[in-house]
Amino acid sequence: MTSNGTSTAAQRLFIRVTRDTLPRVADRYPFLYLERGRLEVDDSSIKWLDAQGECIRLPVATISCLLLGPGTSVTHEAIKTAAAANCSICWVGEDSMLFYAAGIIPTANTRNMRRQAKLASDPKLALKVAKAMFARRFPEADLEGRDLKTLMGMEGLRVHKLYEAKAKEYGVGWKGRAFVPGKFEISDITNQIITSTNAALYGILSSVVHSLGYSPHLGFIHSGSPLPFVYDLADLYKCDFCIDLAFFLTGKLAGQYNKYTVADAFRERVLQKDLLKMAVDDIENLIGEASARRYRQ
């Protein structure tokens, strides 16, 4: 909820929460990010004690999810109170750029997850969602009569061409996408930036998916991976937020990877393009209430 001392409020995905910036009680706020402080209970209500010593009472009944960032501690009683208010908890990295774990409350409304499961388990409906995702990325493509295997083949070719086009646009040498788990440093700088920004993107989207009550495990394109729905969504945004940024920064960094420069540039692009709102709107349009009538048999 507070800055780490090296970033201004304008550079943060989530600004510092104060009494003046809390959501209105009339609203149900999707998520609230907290860092460097303590979450505890006083008189059956949750309060946040930040690093500056300020005490803020949080209206958890109006918050769907609390994102707990670095330097955060939480009491057992605070977890119980949040659960009673149907407010879930996620543990994340700074500005939710890495997603670590989530606590699912037993009383949570499962409406969104049930709708997602219905769409994912019906081959015809799942293919409609997959086609909507491809159409979102490639609006000019002819998807009529295409099955998922064909769509994925089309995607692979288009992404390959995208890498080549970005390399040419920014004048960067490119030998192809390469990443060896656990050996980040052996990749070239462009691949390193793509890998790190992909991880940041997955963290943000994991937090959004959980906060809206969907499951990251029920995908429509990806399968056999830990977070298929997150990977489905990430493909909608990788071009602008990861790939283009990686080729742009490669020249700027002169061959030397700098995680702070990459993180700041990624954060700035996320803010400029309003990824948080974009992701919420896309999920709603693809599988949420806005899409219910479109997929109804």
Side-chain angles (χ1 to χ4, degrees):
M1 191 163 69
T2 60
S3 171
N4 64 3
T6 62
S7 301
T8 64
Q11 294 174 308
R12 300 302 303 272
L13 295 183
F14 303 106
I15 63 171
R16 181 172 179 268
V17 176
T18 66
R19 293 182 180 88
D20 295 332
T21 60
L22 284 174
R24 293 179 302 169
V25 175
D27 299 332
R28 182 75 182 184
Y29 206 67
F31 47 81
L32 199 62
Y33 173 80
L34 306 169
E35 69 173 34
R36 294 173 175 80
R38 178 178 174 84
L39 199 64
E40 58 183 53
V41 169
D42 182 20
D43 295 331
S44 298
S45 65
I46 288 184
K47 65 180 181 180
W48 172 251
L49 303 175
D50 69 14
Q52 283 70 43
E54 184 174 5
C55 177
I56 303 170
R57 296 190 182 278
L58 301 181
V60 290
T62 70
I63 301 170
S64 295
C65 182
L66 290 176
L67 307 179
L68 304 185
T72 301
S73 62
V74 57
T75 66
H76 183 275
E77 199 65 27
I79 295 292
K80 285 173 55 180
T81 302
N86 287 337
C87 177
S88 60
I89 305 289
C90 294
W91 286 264
V92 300
E94 186 179 36
D95 275 344
S96 194
M97 283 195 176
L98 289 176
F99 181 87
Y100 301 124
I104 306 300
I105 51 180
T107 56
N109 189 321
T110 59
R111 178 185 59 195
N112 288 344
M113 195 178 298
R114 290 199 307 270
R115 181 169 53 250
Q116 180 186 7
K118 178 181 179 181
L119 294 173
S121 60
D122 185 316
K124 291 183 179 179
L125 297 180
L127 183 58
K128 286 185 178 180
V129 176
K131 285 185 175 180
M133 289 181 169
F134 280 112
R136 165 77 165 70
R137 298 167 58 201
F138 311 119
E140 76 288 353
D142 179 13
L143 305 179
E144 188 65 31
R146 310 281 189 177
D147 60 14
L148 183 58
K149 184 177 181 180
T150 303
L151 292 175
M152 294 183 72
M154 293 169 58
E155 176 193 31
L157 180 60
R158 286 172 179 270
V159 172
H160 180 73
K161 290 182 177 179
L162 173 63
Y163 283 130
E164 292 181 341
K166 290 297 179 182
K168 183 177 180 180
E169 178 183 350
Y170 291 106
V172 173
W174 178 247
K175 297 180 180 179
R177 180 73 175 114
F179 169 63
V180 179
K183 297 182 179 180
F184 176 83
E185 68 283 349
I186 70 173
S187 301
D188 60 53
I189 186 170
T190 309
N191 272 293
Q192 287 179 338
I193 298 171
I194 292 174
T195 297
S196 60
T197 53
N198 279 352
L201 181 61
Y202 298 151
I204 293 173
L205 294 177
S206 294
S207 300
V208 172
V209 167
H210 274 289
S211 70
L212 295 178
Y214 293 99
S215 170
H217 309 299
L218 298 175
F220 300 91
I221 299 173
H222 292 85
S223 61
S225 53
L227 303 171
F229 186 49
V230 171
Y231 301 148
D232 286 354
L233 294 172
D235 282 346
L236 300 177
Y237 314 116
K238 280 184 179 179
C239 175
D240 290 335
F241 292 93
C242 303
I243 299 173
D244 180 80
L245 183 63
F247 284 98
F248 169 74
L249 286 178
T250 295
K252 299 285 185 180
L253 293 175
Q256 185 66 42
Y257 180 82
N258 185 304
K259 66 179 182 180
Y260 301 107
T261 300
V262 173
D264 286 344
F266 178 81
R267 182 181 292 115
E268 181 180 356
R269 189 162 293 201
V270 167
L271 290 170
Q272 287 177 343
K273 294 181 177 292
D274 203 355
L275 174 61
L276 296 175
K277 182 180 186 304
M278 192 186 305
V280 171
D281 290 345
D282 282 336
I283 292 172
E284 178 68 9
N285 289 328
L286 289 165
I287 66 172
E289 289 286 0
S291 68
R293 184 171 300 176
R294 173 155 49 109
Y295 298 125
R296 191 171 292 143
Q297 295 290 314

